[in-house]
């Protein structure tokens, strides 16, 4: 007659028996047949568990609690998930010899620009645009978007001009304010469209004239960084308007060459109030 092999959990059964637990509690805890526990108790020559061990009924979510304990959750985290009392969970941790928790939740630090990031995301800005404008990490922007439940904006469905219009606002006097992205210390308007950067001034100029600007396009009105197409000029347009202003104000026509001999047809410029000057001489005077 062959000798019966011991049960795979015989060691755990013996340990719980020695703690004084009854057969049904041990069977439920180890997920085995109660008859296996009874036979192990008999083979070990241990007496039945005292009646006092039957007075405490198992928690309705005992298996879930034990699973979370085995995964390393804290008592507080398990309470939040199961609704069980912390004292009950602590007792089960000790009885089951689970040891200290390994999954520790540390409080999330609030990003210094959390409010600004959320505001731009809610305005429909992409994560990359927000990160570039505020100088923050893209991962932080993604995390804050997920925390706030703000959906990712759809792939750009607008044309270049439509997106430009969506980031401008009409003001009194025919001016138009740029409400989109700005860069640098001077807060220069910029627009990103399909992985490229565009000047809102150049877009405004092209809308009015149907061509790309020559040189830098910018506003010639009294509103700083106005992007109204009617107020934006390129370099030849600015020179023409300022020359007309100079003549209206009674100034003498610009000389063909400056005092240093530079051709003013090529190097000549006018200040906003119509005063002529040589760009080459001006740059030389301002160089360090």
């Amino acid at each position: 007659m062959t000798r019966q092999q011991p049960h795979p959990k015989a060691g755990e059964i013996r340990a719980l028996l020695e703690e004084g637990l009854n057969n049904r509690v041990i069977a439920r805890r180890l997920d085995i047949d109660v008859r296996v526990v009874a036979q192990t108790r008999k083979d070990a020559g241990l007496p039945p568990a005292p009646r006092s061990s039957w007075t405490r009924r198992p928690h309705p979510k005992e298996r879930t609690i034990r699973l979370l304990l085995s995964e390393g959750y804290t008592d507080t985290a398990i309470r939040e998930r199961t609704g069980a009392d912390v004292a009950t969970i602590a007792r089960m941790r000790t009885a089951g010899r689970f040891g200290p928790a390994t999954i520790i939740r540390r409080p999330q630090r609030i990003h210094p620009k959390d409010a600004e990031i959320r505001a731009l995301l809610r305005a429909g800005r992409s994560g990359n645009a927000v990160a570039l404008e505020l100088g923050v990490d893209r991962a932080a922007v993604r995390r804050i978007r997920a925390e706030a439940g703000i959906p990712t904006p759809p792939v750009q469905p607008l044309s270049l001009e439509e997106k430009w219009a969506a980031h401008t606002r009409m003001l009194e006097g025919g001016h138009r304010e740029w409400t989109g992205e700005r860069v640098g210390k001077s807060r220069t308007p910029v627009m990103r469209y399909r992985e490229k950067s565009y000047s809102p001034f150049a877009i405004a100029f092209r809308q009015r004239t149907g061509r790309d600007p020559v040189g830098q396009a910018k506003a010639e009105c009294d509103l700083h960084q106005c992007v109204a197409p009617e107020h934006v000029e390129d370099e030849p347009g600015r020179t023409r308007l300022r020359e007309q202003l100079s003549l209206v104000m009674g100034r003498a026509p610009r000389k063909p060459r400056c005092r240093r001999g530079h051709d003013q047809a090529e190097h000549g410029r006018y200040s906003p109030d119509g005063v002529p000057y040589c760009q080459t001489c001006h740059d030389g005077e301002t160089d360090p």
Side-chain angles (χ1 to χ4, degrees):
M1 182 175 179
T2 58
R3 186 175 180 179
Q4 188 174 3
Q5 294 292 326
H7 192 274
K9 295 185 178 180
E12 296 175 73
I13 297 171
R14 287 287 298 272
L16 294 175
L17 286 170
E18 291 172 358
E19 289 182 13
L21 301 181
N22 64 59
N23 294 357
R24 290 190 179 278
V25 171
I26 296 173
R28 186 165 46 248
R29 182 170 296 185
L30 299 180
D31 197 21
I32 58 177
D33 194 300
V34 69
R35 291 173 293 183
V36 174
V37 182
Q39 184 62 49
T40 304
R41 182 186 293 277
K42 180 179 179 181
D43 294 343
L46 297 173
R51 293 294 298 177
S52 60
S53 66
W54 292 80
T55 58
R56 178 173 288 152
R57 307 182 92 185
H59 193 277
K61 295 185 178 180
E62 180 181 3
R63 287 193 178 184
T64 302
I65 295 171
R66 292 182 63 79
L67 175 62
L68 294 173
L69 285 169
S70 67
E71 291 178 352
Y73 285 91
T74 64
D75 295 356
T76 301
I78 296 173
R79 180 194 62 189
E80 293 174 356
R81 290 169 175 249
T82 64
D85 186 78
V86 170
T88 300
I89 300 169
R91 187 185 70 251
M92 293 177 64
R93 180 185 297 279
T94 302
R97 300 177 181 177
F98 288 103
T102 56
I103 301 177
I104 308 298
R105 291 188 306 180
R106 294 176 174 82
Q108 185 72 49
R109 294 178 59 189
I110 298 177
H111 195 281
K113 296 184 178 180
D114 183 272
E116 298 171 75
I117 293 171
R118 290 172 186 259
L120 291 176
L121 290 175
R122 290 193 179 97
R125 303 288 292 281
S126 69
N128 287 345
V130 174
L132 287 169
E133 179 168 346
L134 299 180
V136 299
D137 185 66
R138 289 181 174 85
V141 177
R142 289 194 296 269
R143 175 179 58 77
I144 291 173
R145 182 189 291 280
E147 289 175 357
I150 302 172
T152 303
V155 177
Q156 180 58 251
L158 305 176
S159 67
L160 182 70
E161 290 73 18
E162 288 172 336
K163 183 175 180 182
W164 175 90
H167 289 289
T168 65
R169 180 173 60 191
M170 287 298 300
L171 302 176
E172 293 183 3
H175 301 296
R176 189 179 287 266
E177 179 186 23
W178 178 251
T179 61
E181 183 180 355
R182 294 175 180 268
V183 297
K185 293 182 179 180
S186 61
R187 307 297 292 159
T188 302
V190 66
M191 191 181 86
R192 302 179 194 279
Y193 183 79
R194 296 182 180 176
E195 308 304 323
K196 292 183 179 181
S197 295
Y198 294 85
S199 165
F201 303 109
I203 297 173
F205 180 84
R206 189 163 50 246
Q207 287 184 28
R208 178 170 61 84
T209 64
R211 65 176 177 83
D212 290 331
V214 176
Q216 184 182 21
K218 60 182 181 180
E220 277 295 289
C221 62
D222 56 359
L223 177 66
H224 182 57
Q225 296 183 339
C226 175
V227 294
E230 298 78 10
H231 298 175
V232 174
E233 287 288 351
D234 62 355
E235 287 189 7
R238 280 196 300 279
T239 299
R240 183 175 60 255
L241 289 175
R242 294 178 181 184
E243 183 178 20
Q244 293 172 357
L245 175 62
S246 179
L247 296 175
V248 168
M249 296 182 70
R251 293 192 176 95
R254 185 176 62 190
K255 296 180 179 180
R257 292 185 177 275
C258 72
R259 58 188 177 85
R260 294 181 180 175
H262 300 126
D263 184 358
Q264 294 305 283
E266 179 182 356
H267 304 285
R269 300 288 187 273
Y270 289 91
S271 65
D273 57 359
V275 177
Y277 68 94
C278 176
Q279 183 68 56
T280 303
C281 294
H282 179 270
D283 292 342
E285 292 173 357
T286 57
D287 283 343

